[in-house]
Amino acid sequence: MQTPYYLIDKSRLAHNMELIARLREASGAKALLALKCFATWSVFDFMSDYMDGTTSSSLFEVKLGREKFPGETHAYSVAWAEHEIAEVLANSDKVIFNTTGQLSRFEEQSRDHVRGLRVNPGVSTSSFDLADPARPFSRLGEHDPAVIEPFVDQISGFMFHNNCENADFDRFDAMLNDIEARFGHLIRRMDWISLGGGIHFTGADYPLDRLTERLKRFAGQNEVQVYLEPGEAAITNSTTLELTVLDTLHNGKNLAIVDSSIEAHMLDLLIYRESAKVAPNTGPEEWMVCGKSCLAGDIFGEFRFPAPLKPGDRLSIQDAAGYTMVKKNWFNGVQMPSIAIRELDGSERLVRDFTFEDFTSALS
Ligand SMILES: *Cc1c(COP(=O)(O)O)cnc(C)c1O
């Protein structure tokens, strides 16, 4: 197969899916895939055996979920436009408004729909200001119980999304206690509560049993159906970006230029100033792996290899699914990576490749 391509490994995906299924069964919570993290629909049929549906950030994600992922479709957006709302309602099972202002604006149109409101508890686990829903002056949800109170008869659920790559169960538990203390009287008037995404419960060593017990207790004491909205947890470690070295040079360090670009194909790492991952990353040779765009800082990272890199060598960048494939772009006109799937029997199958026509049709 011609590099560059993203390779989704179904057996690695299945590992996460089985943990999600276990959590659902034991806790009674439902799990919706957050499409903003991962929207590669070729594996949705497979994932839908383990998950209950999807949640969204826009009209197009709502439609993608409805069309490609069997199960429930939750429609959330930071703001719906007037011209979108009819299609949002036609393609969703629930609509979640970000503010009481949006709820009021679309109250009449959405009267026969299951409706929810995003609540911002003002606490989070994000270590990046950029991704912190509870940052000062946050626009993400209503934060004041007194403001929410008058609207509770118009809705049947709340969505809280305040975790971010949170691998610490005790921190999750403490924040949920805090949410119950401040919003419990309103939560108990709801039928369903979504606790959002950002819980790293498919990670190694996560105390899944404690999470299960906590979710079950939350649902029981408040008499609500709990939803989770995993994005990263659903697809973590399932996918690689497969590359080939095109050239090497030396300028104080060993440099290898590959047939990809971090700016175009793994943008999230660049935004958060994180290194890409190469496994096993051992050996005597240290090389900086660089992208082929003309951006000076288009660098995947510095890694160790058993032998000097040379043109034609194949490299595999780890963990290339979440917030990665959804952000790929045509910067510099660099060949967009194809998408391939490694089936459970080990065979690899190309499901999409991108052409010059795809490049030109992205603009006009
Ligand atoms: C981003 C997001 C998610 C998914 O978050 P992950 O960290 O990828 O699990 C879920 N729900 C909402 C509302 C989000 O904005």
Side-chain angles (χ1 to χ4, degrees):
M1 220 173 297
Q2 180 66 55
T3 61
Y5 62 95
Y6 298 102
L7 178 62
I8 303 172
D9 188 331
K10 264 194 187 170
S11 61
R12 290 210 208 170
L13 188 56
H15 171 77
N16 298 335
M17 291 296 110
E18 274 152 23
L19 292 172
I20 290 178
R22 223 173 80 194
L23 178 66
R24 283 166 70 213
E25 276 151 37
S27 71
K30 294 187 178 181
L32 307 175
L33 176 67
L35 293 177
K36 83 161 190 281
C37 171
F38 182 78
T40 311
W41 45 268
S42 297
V43 288
F44 281 3
D45 269 341
F46 177 71
M47 297 175 85
S48 70
D49 287 344
Y50 304 86
M51 301 183 74
D52 298 281
T54 55
T55 189
S56 55
S57 346
S58 64
L59 170 61
F60 286 176
E61 284 189 356
V62 171
K63 290 171 72 174
L64 179 72
R66 172 50 55 94
E67 200 172 289
K68 302 285 191 191
F69 202 113
E72 279 187 65
T73 307
H74 282 203
Y76 165 74
S77 170
V78 171
W80 301 113
E82 201 78 48
H83 67 271
E84 293 177 319
I85 197 71
E87 223 178 336
V88 167
L89 297 171
N91 287 287
S92 64
D93 299 291
K94 292 187 179 69
V95 63
I96 299 165
F97 294 106
N98 187 59
T99 61
T100 54
Q102 284 251 307
L103 173 59
S104 300
R105 181 157 316 125
F106 300 116
E107 200 282 317
E108 239 180 84
Q109 273 166 287
S110 63
R111 196 165 285 174
D112 298 326
H113 216 66
V114 180
R115 297 187 292 207
L117 180 68
R118 179 166 185 173
V119 180
N120 188 332
V123 285
S124 90
T125 55
S126 181
S127 43
F128 293 98
D129 189 44
L130 182 62
D132 182 358
R135 63 191 264 152
F137 319 114
S138 176
R139 71 194 183 296
L140 303 172
E142 293 286 357
H143 63 276
D144 184 350
V147 168
I148 298 166
E149 224 298 325
F151 292 89
V152 294
D153 292 334
Q154 295 177 30
I155 57 177
S156 58
F158 291 137
M159 187 264 278
F160 296 88
H161 171 68
N162 61 315
N163 287 277
C164 186
E165 293 195 19
N166 183 7
D168 178 352
F169 171 77
D170 291 316
R171 180 86 180 99
F172 169 82
D173 182 37
M175 288 198 302
L176 192 55
N177 291 339
D178 187 58
I179 287 172
E180 284 188 279
R182 287 169 42 226
F183 299 96
H185 61 295
L186 301 175
I187 290 172
R188 286 186 287 278
R189 294 171 65 182
M190 296 295 126
D191 299 329
W192 54 273
I193 299 291
S194 174
L195 296 175
I199 312 167
H200 212 58
F201 64 90
T202 54
D205 304 329
Y206 192 91
L208 203 58
D209 295 341
R210 295 181 68 199
L211 179 64
T212 301
E213 186 279 328
R214 186 66 185 93
L215 296 178
K216 206 169 158 180
R217 185 151 45 87
F218 178 87
Q221 288 176 347
N222 297 296
E223 295 182 19
V224 290
Q225 170 65 54
V226 171
Y227 286 87
L228 297 178
E229 304 175 353
E232 187 62 44
I235 47 70
T236 195
N237 272 320
S238 66
T239 300
T240 54
L241 177 57
E242 299 294 321
L243 311 173
T244 301
V245 175
L246 299 178
D247 195 12
T248 60
L249 65 161
H250 191 90
N251 183 8
K253 289 185 176 183
N254 296 317
L255 310 175
I257 299 170
V258 297
D259 58 353
S260 176
S261 156
I262 193 163
E263 167 91 359
H265 307 153
M266 296 194 90
L267 181 59
D268 207 51
L269 294 177
L270 201 59
I271 291 172
Y272 292 99
R273 310 251 172 235
E274 291 177 334
S275 173
K277 283 180 260 173
V278 161
N281 198 12
T282 53
E285 285 287 325
E286 195 169 310
W287 286 73
M288 183 182 274
V289 174
C290 312
K292 66 173 282 175
S293 87
C294 60
L295 178 73
D298 193 339
I299 296 162
F300 286 88
E302 293 183 49
F303 312 106
R304 305 199 76 89
F305 298 95
L309 294 181
K310 56 182 188 316
D313 282 355
R314 282 283 309 273
L315 298 182
S316 189
I317 305 285
Q318 301 295 306
D319 216 3
Y323 300 98
T324 302
M325 303 170 82
V326 290
K327 292 192 177 190
K328 65 186 168 56
N329 63 69
W330 282 113
F331 181 61
N332 261 229
V334 179
Q335 173 66 54
M336 193 170 268
S338 312
I339 301 171
I341 295 174
R342 182 180 284 144
E343 296 292 343
L344 295 173
D345 67 7
S347 62
E348 288 180 15
R349 172 168 75 89
L350 182 73
V351 293
R352 179 80 160 98
D353 60 351
F354 299 92
T355 61
F356 174 67
E357 284 67 40
D358 292 311
F359 170 58
T360 55
S361 65
L363 288 170
S364 78

